[in-house]
Amino acid sequence: MCGIIAVIHAEPEDNAVAADIHEALYLLQHRGQDACGMATCGSRGRIHQCKGNGLAAKVFRDGARVCDLPGYMGIGHLRYPTAGSSANAEAQPFFANYPYGICFAHNGNLINAPELKAFLDEEGHRHINTESDSPILIDFAVSVCPSSDKATADRRISELMMNIFANELGITGKARVNSDDIFAALGRMYGRLEGGWACTAMLAGYGVIGFRDAYGIRPLVLGSRPSASGEGMDYMMASESVALRQLGYKRHSIRDILPGEAVIIPKGSAPVHMRVQAPKSYCPDIFEYCYFARPDAIIDGISVHKSRENMGYKLGAQIEDLLTAEQLKEIDVVMPIPETSITTAPCVAERLKKPYSQGFVKNRYVFRTFIMPGQKARQKGVRRKLNAMEEQFVGKNVLLVDDSIVRGTTSMEIVNMAKEAGALKVYFASAAPRISHPHIYGIDLASPSELIAHQRNNDEIAKHIGAEKVIFQKLEDLKEACRAAVIEGAPRREQDFEVGVFSGEYVTPVPKGYFQHIEKVRGESKKMKMMESARDAVAYGSASAEEILIATNGVEVKDDGKVVPAVTQGAPLDNGNGIRYNEAKRKFSEGEDERSPKNRMDIGLHNQADYDHTEQ
């Protein structure tokens, strides 16, 4: 999941667009804390760029970098946290100088990447510049161009889209293009792509572009406001409406970019709209409403806050149906798991006629734990993220409400924390249904085997996390909660959503063998993480026998995706005198491994953040 932004000001001599994009990056920071960047365009079509790993405050030095990015138009991007490190060059936006100077920011995933890679190689004669060797879910094309981690895989999907677009745009052969040329290029590009995406782009000296997949899976909105001088209009596109509202774009001026629609905003002109592909359906990703989006956002005309309130009432009804009268009676208090369920839990309590109280305090400066590398890291992450207030739990039977349960790691630790704080019994309710299938449109939750709801019933899940009972939202109730949260007009009874993560039924066609391949691909991704972890353990003298073996001989991935130590036939793990351990420590402490550089230049464009690592 990522956040994307595009802004164009009315006056070409205006050099203040970077300030707006910088502010928007903070407003959408919840959509990506791993990396961010922006590219702006000033006089004579010159492009300026700053991007890198970390939060917006770090990459832009608390705004000090904004003055280095002059221009009247620009685009921005935020990438959500990923396990494993990546170079600054993996951050977006990306740049292609041919044709016409294209900057590109992307949110989503393509599920037909192998065909696209083959097309670019054999017909487009374009090189996709990735370098590593263990991709994950977002990039199905491991067999044709492997990559090192999710950030690199994410980069490659975005690079594929940018190069497909560049190839189609280059067909014109003209010195200067117009809106018709761009729409035609996008139409041809859409004919080649399959998946879910929302993108913003910028053509040097021409204008900005926004477009969305034909299913409307990934969100994108457009708004306008009077310019600072009062002459002309400024325009902005972003993943969520909150970024526009906070920058002075009035609610009545904000609209959703529709499925299959593209918007071009040329310099000094009004937006031009076109459906470059006929809508195949209108199915926004329901996980936006469950978890990712800010509660003050409105996505596809649906209030996120209201949808979560509705989820609470629906969940309360489900709890009444599933718990016995005795179990309901013994619940003393309903508590949210911060932060998403703070909207949902009070509505559960209201429905059940139970007291509501907050029992956990959240540290807002810890990443989301479900994507942390490794089970132990996720468990420690939960303890860093949440703290239980003992006086709220002692001697009570509590009903905890969370937005979802993914691997169960967070839920298990939360239940343990509640009991350690003095809770007698813990019931656990999820505002989302059982997550039992992979997400294939840009959110890397987990492989099916890692999902707690995969091949477990509710009682088994409750036992696993240590709760008395676990209650999940019903899928149809979740859909209805969102349908009823339309801000204008009657509820959309026919509105559908992308819910494949819950049902296994996806709105787009899925290539044969896709999911089997994913497991192998995930194993390749885990391989790098396991090797890095083992090397670190050896370097610090805390390595286990298995970690020494991994650090010395590496790992291998089985056909089912499991990662195991690669044991040399007949080789002892240690001769009793620590020789193997010392060998491993020497090898990796002296830098004999092949780790990819964490700071390298983006060859496409001058990137100011690439120079910063010497100053940190």
Side-chain angles (χ1 to χ4, degrees), residues 171 199 251 309 426 518 526 597 610:
I171 289 175
C199 302
R251 179 168 160 176
E309 286 186 330
V426 177
I518 284 173
K526 292 176 188 175
D610 274 325

Side-chain angles (χ1 to χ4, degrees), residues 83 369 371-380 407 409 529:
T369 55
I371 45 178
M372 283 185 174
Q375 191 79 349
K376 290 183 179 179
R378 285 188 289 272
Q379 290 170 340
K380 290 180 180 178
R407 290 182 174 93
T409 306
K529 299 176 190 118

Side-chain angles (χ1 to χ4, degrees), residues 531-549:
M531 290 176 65
E532 283 197 13
S533 177
R535 291 164 176 170
D536 290 340
V538 168
Y540 288 107
S542 59
S544 65
E546 183 179 82
E547 287 171 326
I548 295 171
L549 188 62

Side-chain angles (χ1 to χ4, degrees), residues 115-126 167-168 192:
E115 293 89 341
L116 300 176
K117 173 65 169 60
F119 165 76
L120 288 173
D121 183 34
E122 297 168 11
E123 297 184 42
H125 309 302
R126 287 180 172 269
N167 184 79
E168 299 300 340
R192 300 187 185 279

Side-chain angles (χ1 to χ4, degrees), residues 20 49 156 203 206 287 339 552:
D20 279 0
Q49 179 174 273
R156 180 160 179 270
L203 261 62
Y206 181 84
F287 217 64
E339 188 161 337
T552 306

Side-chain angles (χ1 to χ4, degrees), residues 71-140:
Y72 60 92
M73 65 177 177
I75 63 174
H77 185 270
L78 294 146
R79 189 179 71 224
Y80 77 97
T82 57
S85 60
S86 58
N88 287 331
E90 307 295 354
Q92 297 187 43
F94 297 135
F95 173 74
N97 63 355
Y98 173 81
Y100 312 115
I102 301 171
C103 288
F104 198 86
H106 164 263
N107 173 29
N109 185 34
L110 304 177
I111 59 177
N112 65 330
E115 293 89 341
L116 300 176
K117 173 65 169 60
F119 165 76
L120 288 173
D121 183 34
E122 297 168 11
E123 297 184 42
H125 309 302
R126 287 180 172 269
H127 173 65
I128 305 300
N129 192 46
T130 52
E131 63 178 11
S132 48
D133 60 6
S134 57
I136 62 172
L137 170 64
I138 198 169
D139 191 355
F140 179 50

Side-chain angles (χ1 to χ4, degrees), residues 391-446:
E391 63 275 15
Q392 300 293 86
F393 289 93
V394 173
K396 296 178 182 178
N397 299 318
V398 300
L399 169 61
L400 302 180
V401 179
D402 206 351
D403 50 68
S404 59
I405 304 176
V406 183
R407 290 182 174 93
T409 306
T410 299
S411 305
M412 182 188 300
E413 284 299 307
I414 286 170
V415 171
N416 288 338
M417 290 167 66
K419 290 183 175 180
E420 290 170 8
L424 300 178
K425 292 183 179 181
V426 177
Y427 294 87
F428 205 100
S430 167
R434 294 162 53 94
I435 298 174
S436 53
H437 297 81
H439 195 291
I440 65 173
Y441 302 115
I443 306 174
D444 183 41
L445 295 178

